[in-house]
Amino acid sequence: MSSVSLNTGLLIASIMFFTGFVGVMIRKNIMFMLISVEIMLNAAGLAFVFAGAYHGLADGQVMFLFILTMAAAEVAVGLALLIQIYQKFKTLNSDAASNLRG
């Protein structure tokens, strides 16, 4: 049975998080921004799981369940906002959201 070391796991999680962060910063499409936030949340959960496995505790897996719950709520709210923005402006460009002020 082979296992991944803590450093390797945290490196993978940090690469995933950085990829999601770059996606949020670069993309203008709100749907892709939501996907990037999901990647960031999964990377944080993966880091918790690796840290918990390294210490031999289930705390990381419990935290990952909380992260999944939060991600589900974020998706529900995010998609609701996405539908409203698309109905009002007929685009998913994040620059259109700045016109919501008023």
Side-chain angles (χ1 to χ4, degrees), residues 37-38 41 44 63-76:
V37 169
E38 289 298 319
L41 287 171
M63 286 303 297
F64 188 67
L65 288 175
F66 285 124
I67 289 172
L68 284 178
T69 306
M70 184 182 65
E74 179 258 334
V75 166

Side-chain angles (χ1 to χ4, degrees), residues 13-96:
S14 64
I15 290 170
M16 281 178 60
F17 190 87
F18 183 72
T19 302
F21 181 75
V22 169
V24 169
M25 291 294 127
I26 291 178
R27 294 288 192 164
K28 294 289 183 180
N29 190 322
I30 298 173
M31 179 65 82
F32 286 112
M33 293 171 77
L34 284 174
I35 292 170
S36 296
V37 169
E38 289 298 319
I39 291 171
M40 291 168 62
L41 287 171
N42 284 327
L46 186 65
F48 275 116
V49 169
F50 274 112
Y54 177 75
H55 294 292
L57 302 171
D59 295 347
Q61 294 171 0
V62 172
M63 286 303 297
F64 188 67
L65 288 175
F66 285 124
I67 289 172
L68 284 178
T69 306
M70 184 182 65
E74 179 258 334
V75 166
V77 171
L79 289 177
L81 289 172
L82 186 108
I83 290 170
Q84 292 297 317
I85 289 172
Y86 184 75
Q87 285 179 350
K88 184 167 177 86
F89 299 112
K90 303 296 184 222
T91 183
L92 293 179
N93 192 344
S94 62
D95 294 334

